[in-house]
Amino acid sequence: MCTCFDTIKTSCKEVNKLTNSTVNRSFDMDNYLDTINSLSKDLIVIVNDTNNFIELVRAHLTELSKSEAVELLLSFATMRELMIKLYNKLYNSIYYKGMKTNVKTYRNCISDFNELCGDLKKWNIEIPDNKDFINIFKELSAVS
């Protein structure tokens, strides 16, 4: 069992909370530049928090059990939906041109998150159940 499991779950909840609050903001045309600045600042915080979260999970990837990985991936599904919803909302908004670089950075962050989910699924769920991998691991262990 991973000692950081609760920390990962808490970090996930914080990123979800911030992403959700930004998704649910109304985009008011009257304050165009103020809105761009405000959204850009929020997006920078979201990207930094998400990147820190990704690094936290990556640092403990090998410690997570299969059941922990499954639980995290289930909770990550909500996070992924929020991330995509926010990206689409920003990309399709009238503010996109004013914050294009930050939105592209966020898209890269989403890509990193998706890669993390894939790695978690592959290394913590699929490979431990792969009989060929188990046999090769046993053979290598017997040699050393």
Side-chain angles (χ1 to χ4, degrees):
M1 180 153 186
C2 181
T3 57
C4 65
F5 187 68
D6 290 332
T7 305
I8 291 170
K9 287 177 65 174
T10 301
S11 181
C12 178
K13 287 177 186 176
E14 289 300 315
V15 171
N16 276 339
K17 182 178 169 184
L18 185 57
T19 305
N20 190 42
S21 70
T22 305
V23 165
N24 290 320
R25 283 181 63 181
S26 65
F27 291 1
D28 183 5
M29 183 59 181
D30 292 336
N31 303 314
Y32 186 79
L33 291 177
D34 290 339
T35 302
I36 287 174
N37 287 332
S38 176
L39 285 170
S40 292
K41 287 178 186 176
D42 287 349
L43 202 54
I44 289 167
V45 170
I46 291 170
V47 166
N48 287 335
D49 286 356
T50 304
N51 285 336
N52 290 337
F53 166 74
I54 291 168
E55 289 305 313
L56 174 66
V57 177
R58 285 207 180 281
H60 299 282
L61 194 68
T62 59
E63 299 170 36
L64 294 167
S65 69
K66 181 179 178 179
S67 63
E68 290 171 332
V70 169
E71 185 177 336
L72 287 175
L73 284 172
L74 289 173
S75 67
F76 290 177
T78 301
M79 188 173 180
R80 179 182 288 153
E81 288 175 25
L82 281 173
M83 294 170 92
I84 293 169
K85 186 176 181 180
L86 176 58
Y87 173 78
N88 287 332
K89 186 172 183 177
L90 293 169
Y91 183 80
N92 293 313
S93 78
I94 58 173
Y95 304 108
Y96 177 72
K97 287 185 181 183
M99 52 189 299
K100 189 175 187 176
T101 301
N102 288 332
V103 175
K104 285 184 177 184
T105 300
Y106 186 57
R107 182 186 65 207
N108 291 338
C109 184
I110 294 170
S111 178
D112 291 344
F113 177 75
N114 287 332
E115 182 179 331
L116 171 71
C117 291
D119 289 348
L120 193 59
K121 182 179 177 188
K122 182 178 197 174
W123 295 104
N124 294 71
I125 298 171
E126 292 173 357
I127 287 181
D129 288 341
N130 184 307
K131 290 180 183 180
D132 292 334
F133 173 79
I134 294 169
N135 290 336
I136 291 171
F137 183 75
K138 286 179 183 175
E139 290 174 13
L140 287 174
S141 295
V143 171
S144 46

